[in-house]
Amino acid sequence: MPVPDRFDAFRIHNDDAGYRSGIEQIAVDDLAHGEIDIAVVHSSVNFKDALAGTGKGKILRRFPLVGGIDVAGHVVASRDPAFKEGDAVLVTGSGLSETRDGGYAQYARIEAKWAVPLPAGLSLRESMILGTAGFTAALALLRMRENRQTREHGPLAVTGATGGVGSLAVDIFSSAGFDVHAVSGKPEHADYLKSIGASAVLGRDALATTRPMESARFGGGLDNVGGPMLVSLLAQTVPYGNVASAGLAASADLDATVMPFIIRGVSLLGVASAGTPRDVRDRVWQHLANDWKPRHLDAICTREIGLADLPAIFDTMLAGGAFGRTLVTL
């Protein structure tokens, strides 16, 4: 199936006319280089996409670029023998909407080294409900497991639990057999969090301590918020538990002490999904398609939109209104 001469793309500019983004018609040769051309079926909306699309964060390193850090679709042309026309593939992170054109377009041109064949057990739709958010949550669990995290350590806390990464972490961690305590400042969504796998839903006050050490109540967890909440989670983690840091929705600051580390042996693990090495990337996606596959993807997908709806979703997300996952359908 040949790529049409022109097609729709949500493109981001920053030039003498200012920072702006919107739908425009482009040609495939306007895209960054790559060995495979994809007819895009789905993408998704992540916090990073909202920052990039509005200019509220310095995400893009060159302009203009097509937005969208996630993409899934079918190969329509390949200049790499590893892929052929018709193959279903996905890409997350890997420089998309940062140094190269991303998934908010009807067609994408991708470097073959980052294209992941769609794993058996996942549909293209499911892969993008997961997207970078699900990949990040699963990567956090992989890092914790590699550092000897077990169910016996106790419940895993998930902060920012109603957001995309948080919701998927609740489902993924519980699917993997862990007891999950969701931490959220949105009590109206407590039933939702329990329905996707949380055994308990805690208010933000559960992580409001300012003391360097508290009674240990969590086996570890995933923090999407940063700042005082991450500090408090560290202070309440059991000996040799692991806390993974994956976000800064509240703050990029970390005003902590070393006491949880040197007294309890707590580990703070960084989770940087965008540049994950390919061998680790493949392991994570195999887990997501099999033993860690979330059981409630349809419930977590709270919105399905087209390209024209992106600006409104960006504004909602940056205003703290993120809830579940937003799927983009081309």
Side-chain angles (χ1 to χ4, degrees), residues 85-319:
E85 185 176 344
D87 285 350
V89 297
L90 65 93
V91 187
T92 61
S94 309
L96 299 184
S97 190
E98 185 177 335
T99 59
R100 56 179 302 110
D101 295 288
Y104 292 161
Q106 292 175 301
Y107 292 87
R109 178 166 281 174
I110 300 295
E111 291 179 293
K113 65 181 179 180
W114 297 121
V116 176
L118 183 71
L122 284 180
S123 67
L124 288 174
R125 176 185 174 84
E126 289 172 330
S127 78
M128 288 293 97
I129 297 174
L130 289 163
T132 287
F135 181 85
T136 299
L139 179 60
L141 182 57
L142 182 69
R143 294 219 62 200
M144 289 190 283
R145 290 291 298 270
E146 288 179 338
N147 208 38
R148 303 174 64 87
Q149 187 78 34
T150 67
R151 298 170 192 139
E152 287 69 34
H153 279 93
L156 294 179
V158 176
T159 67
T162 60
V165 177
S167 292
L168 286 163
V170 169
D171 203 341
I172 290 166
F173 294 178
S174 62
S175 294
F178 286 87
D179 184 20
V180 181
H181 288 188
V183 182
S184 174
K186 300 174 181 177
E188 67 273 19
H189 294 317
D191 289 344
Y192 159 77
L193 291 168
K194 289 180 180 178
S195 75
I196 62 173
S199 64
V201 179
L202 310 176
R204 290 173 181 160
D205 58 333
L207 293 178
T209 182
T210 57
R211 297 173 61 184
M213 295 279 282
E214 289 282 1
S215 297
R217 62 185 298 190
F218 301 112
L222 172 61
D223 176 65
N224 298 294
V225 177
M229 194 166 286
L230 173 55
V231 175
S232 181
L233 178 53
L234 290 166
Q236 297 182 66
T237 296
V238 302
Y240 295 97
N242 297 282
V243 175
S245 173
L248 40 64
S251 174
D253 295 334
L254 187 63
D255 186 12
T257 77
V258 299
M259 292 176 68
F261 311 130
I262 65 174
I263 295 176
R264 289 185 178 153
V266 172
S267 294
L268 177 59
L269 307 176
V271 181
S273 62
T276 305
R278 180 56 191 264
D279 62 324
V280 178
R281 190 176 295 274
D282 289 341
R283 286 175 60 197
V284 170
W285 279 109
Q286 285 304 314
H287 278 302
L288 284 170
N290 293 284
D291 53 331
W292 295 355
K293 183 176 181 179
R295 296 163 294 183
H296 309 94
L297 285 174
D298 286 339
I300 291 172
C301 181
T302 54
R303 304 182 189 92
E304 185 167 351
I305 66 170
L307 293 181
D309 303 308
L310 286 169
I313 293 298
F314 293 161
D315 290 341
T316 297
M317 185 171 284
L318 294 178

Side-chain angles (χ1 to χ4, degrees), residues 4 6-11 22-26 66 103-107 307 330:
R6 311 287 288 180
F7 54 87
D8 287 342
F10 187 89
R11 214 172 189 204
I23 299 174
E24 58 189 80
Q25 289 263 303
I26 65 171
V66 175
Y104 292 161
Q106 292 175 301
Y107 292 87
L307 293 181
L330 278 299

